Amino acid sequence: MSDFNKDFLFGVATASYQVEGAYNEDGRSMSIWDTFCRQDGKVYKGHNGDVACDHYHLYKDDVKMMKDLGIEAYRFSIAWPRIFPEKGHYNPKGIDFYKRLTDELLKNDIKPFVTIYHWDLPQWADDLGGWLNREVVDWFGEYVSKLFNELGGYIRNWITLNEPWCSSFLSYFIGEHAPGHKDLGEAVLVSHNLLLAHGKAVEIFRDINSSDSKIGITLNLNEVFPATDSPEDKAAARIADGFQNRWFLDPIFKGEYPKDMLELFGKYAKTDFITDGDLKRISQKLDFLGVNYYTRAVVKKGNDGILNAEQIDVDNEKTEMGWEVYPESLYNILMRLKNEYTFDLPLYITENGAAYKDVVSDDGHVHDEKRVEFLKKHFKQAKRFIDDGGNLRGYFVWSLMDNFEWAHGYSKRFGIVYVDYETEKRILKDSALWYKNLISTRTI
Ligand SMILES: N#[N+]C[C@@H]1[C@@H](O)[C@H](O)[C@@H](O)[C@@H]2O[C@H]12
């Protein structure tokens, strides 16, 4: 058994579109996810975030619930369509919600960690090309300037983007997420514009915010294993690692795109998307890196004619998402970051958690033993990293409560708190009570 020190932050995470609801309240306009949900066949049973967990109206109860659990930090995102419902049109009512939420958190000694962009791009921006249009960097700059000026005095920890891999490759190449394009060249251009927007936000942040405020980015990273020791499978694993991890880590921390991926993507990218100064903007110094970790990947040589790297199904314990439970890779990823990219830069696990088939038992409780075991194993790996000299500052469990799980709608439950979507009633799962005990003892 070993203890997390007193400064380590035990948190939970959510995102605006997944929990807020109030999709058309107080001036909020449509986002690409409001649009995507209304397209046939895109989201499970046509679910959408119109109401979600109604966090917009129930936030005080949710903050009290966090307080009662001893939660020390709350990672949430801001909905761009609330702040700028139209191009160039600022909506003060939009900011007012986040001022109320932040005020409630601070009153309860819960540190706010804000994600500036967690996928709900305003529809007006997408109508003008969205992340495909390099002008989005300026629109994003106007958005973040308003956030820093209006909220910078209360919020000290800012995350520019959540999982740019999802906002680019999952959304513009694989097509599972909004806006649902399937074009690798577009996805590569989008990934670059996302990183430019990230860099623009860091520049503005450095101009506006005091030094006791911190800024970083959140990347979803996994550890990639070759299915066999064959040269073909090893080569496939290297490409898969480049596609998932190095394409973002290298420009942010080394100031250059990985050459092997640049060569591969260069065959598909529609324009010469890198111009002078871009990589300098993208690779500005950060105050921390957020890591979202869920599972590893085991890859064999594929034949899609593009990446030629195919993930295989591993005969091991899996979550409801079909993701292998592999806590060791959390340690390995953190150690790789420390040794190759971030060195002594503070790290946060900004998301880790699991979906399981949760049901309310006859006793009125939700006995999610598998999630308790999942979290226990992953917290142990986090502590192992700290004990081996890693500068891990905190851990945000995904998620505080069950919520809208993107293309899966409400069919996947990730929360440590159960949500009855008919009544919006919250029920603490056993994992919430386990987390409360971990926080109070700080011992894993
Ligand atoms: N899927 N899944 C769960 C979770 C998703 O709900 C978050 O919004 C993303 O940041 C990340 O993908 C992880």
Side-chain angles (χ1 to χ4, degrees):
M1 304 287 266
S2 69
D3 293 358
F4 289 90
N5 71 37
K6 64 176 177 49
D7 297 323
F8 185 85
L9 284 178
F10 290 101
V12 288
T14 66
S16 45
Y17 191 76
Q18 296 181 269
V19 297
E20 286 179 1
Y23 83 105
N24 61 354
E25 205 157 316
D26 291 337
R28 180 186 182 278
S29 65
M30 296 285 272
S31 74
I32 57 173
W33 271 94
D34 296 288
T35 304
F36 197 62
C37 291
R38 285 160 173 76
Q39 294 169 8
D40 288 346
K42 300 296 186 187
V43 176
Y44 176 79
K45 291 188 178 177
H47 289 176
N48 62 47
D50 290 4
V51 178
C53 306
D54 200 20
H55 190 53
Y56 191 82
H57 298 109
L58 301 175
Y59 72 93
K60 285 192 176 181
D61 297 342
D62 292 334
V63 172
K64 183 178 182 315
M65 192 167 66
M66 286 189 256
K67 178 71 175 174
D68 292 348
L69 290 171
I71 301 291
E72 298 168 334
Y74 177 44
R75 176 183 173 231
F76 61 94
S77 76
I78 291 179
W80 189 347
R82 292 194 191 282
I83 314 303
F84 283 90
E86 294 165 41
K87 186 171 185 287
H89 165 66
Y90 168 56
N91 174 35
K93 279 190 176 180
I95 279 278
D96 287 348
F97 167 63
Y98 298 104
K99 284 181 177 172
R100 294 195 298 272
L101 173 58
T102 301
D103 184 47
E104 200 66 22
L105 290 166
L106 295 174
K107 279 196 305 191
N108 286 279
D109 300 320
I110 299 169
K111 286 183 174 54
F113 273 63
V114 165
T115 307
I116 296 168
Y117 183 68
H118 201 127
W119 307 353
D120 39 5
L121 182 74
Q123 187 56 49
W124 64 256
D126 194 54
D127 292 344
L128 295 170
W131 291 108
L132 287 164
N133 181 351
R134 194 175 165 115
E135 285 181 57
V136 68
V137 177
D138 296 328
W139 310 335
F140 193 72
E142 181 185 44
Y143 168 47
V144 302
S145 296
K146 188 56 78 175
L147 296 186
F148 295 149
N149 282 317
E150 293 294 326
L151 297 168
Y154 316 92
I155 294 166
R156 300 283 181 224
N157 294 283
W158 296 86
I159 295 164
T160 55
L161 304 176
N162 177 73
E163 301 192 352
W165 183 89
C166 289
S167 311
S168 52
F169 293 110
L170 193 56
S171 303
Y172 283 82
F173 174 40
I174 297 164
E176 184 184 316
H177 279 194
H181 297 194
K182 295 188 177 182
D183 182 316
L184 180 56
E186 285 192 351
V188 172
L189 177 59
V190 164
S191 70
H192 186 65
N193 287 340
L194 280 161
L195 289 177
L196 285 175
H198 157 74
K200 176 87 171 179
V202 176
E203 285 168 0
I204 295 168
F205 180 86
R206 296 298 183 215
D207 284 347
I208 293 181
N209 288 277
S210 59
S211 58
D212 60 349
S213 291
K214 308 297 178 190
I215 194 163
I217 188 172
T218 278
L219 302 177
N220 52 311
L221 303 172
N222 66 11
E223 185 177 19
V224 185
F225 292 80
T228 70
D229 283 342
S230 71
E232 296 79 12
D233 287 354
K234 283 182 177 178
R238 180 70 181 159
I239 287 293
D241 174 61
F243 177 57
Q244 178 76 44
N245 302 318
R246 293 183 288 115
W247 183 253
F248 294 98
L249 287 170
D250 284 24
I252 293 169
F253 293 104
K254 296 182 175 178
E256 60 180 14
Y257 283 106
K259 289 182 176 48
D260 58 341
M261 301 314 294
L262 206 49
E263 187 182 332
L264 190 157
F265 288 158
K267 298 176 206 157
Y268 302 91
K270 293 204 170 15
T271 60
D272 183 9
F273 56 85
I274 305 168
T275 58
D276 289 349
D278 284 0
L279 271 300
K280 184 171 184 289
R281 165 170 274 181
I282 291 170
S283 60
Q284 293 168 76
K285 183 184 171 308
L286 299 179
D287 301 312
F288 65 86
L289 172 67
V291 177
N292 288 359
Y293 173 72
Y294 286 92
T295 188
R296 67 163 180 169
V298 181
V299 165
K300 70 176 183 182
K301 181 183 180 309
N303 52 21
D304 67 350
I306 301 177
L307 297 170
N308 293 318
E310 185 182 324
Q311 189 163 347
I312 67 167
D313 181 46
V314 178
D315 181 16
N316 193 1
E317 183 190 350
K318 296 203 180 64
T319 70
E320 192 58 22
M321 293 294 283
W323 297 346
E324 183 188 3
V325 177
Y326 202 84
E328 297 77 8
S329 281
L330 174 57
Y331 174 84
N332 296 339
I333 287 166
L334 294 172
M335 284 307 277
R336 178 188 186 187
L337 289 170
K338 177 176 183 292
N339 295 330
E340 295 179 32
Y341 292 99
T342 59
F343 307 105
D344 201 36
L345 186 76
L347 301 175
Y348 289 91
I349 294 166
T350 37
E351 286 181 33
N352 173 253
Y356 288 108
K357 265 195 192 321
D358 298 325
V359 291
V360 182
S361 302
D362 294 344
D363 62 9
H365 297 283
V366 179
H367 302 298
D368 56 335
E369 301 86 354
K370 286 184 179 178
R371 185 175 288 105
V372 171
E373 283 311 303
F374 180 98
L375 291 173
K376 202 179 286 181
K377 288 172 185 169
H378 287 79
F379 268 99
K380 283 181 188 288
Q381 293 297 327
K383 188 63 178 61
R384 181 184 162 206
F385 173 68
I386 294 169
D387 293 344
D388 287 354
N391 191 6
L392 185 67
R393 301 290 184 86
Y395 197 123
F396 293 82
V397 171
W398 184 270
S399 178
L400 166 64
M401 63 182 120
D402 299 335
N403 58 56
F404 175 79
E405 185 42 58
W406 308 111
H408 298 278
Y410 298 96
S411 68
K412 306 297 181 194
R413 293 180 178 271
F414 274 88
I416 58 173
V417 175
Y418 183 94
V419 177
D420 177 335
Y421 295 111
E422 297 298 315
T423 64
E424 295 295 3
K425 181 182 174 192
R426 276 76 159 138
I427 302 172
L428 299 185
K429 300 178 189 175
D430 288 358
S431 54
L433 303 175
W434 173 83
Y435 199 29
K436 179 176 183 177
N437 183 61
L438 170 62
I439 297 168
S440 65
T441 63
R442 309 190 82 81
T443 301
I444 190 78

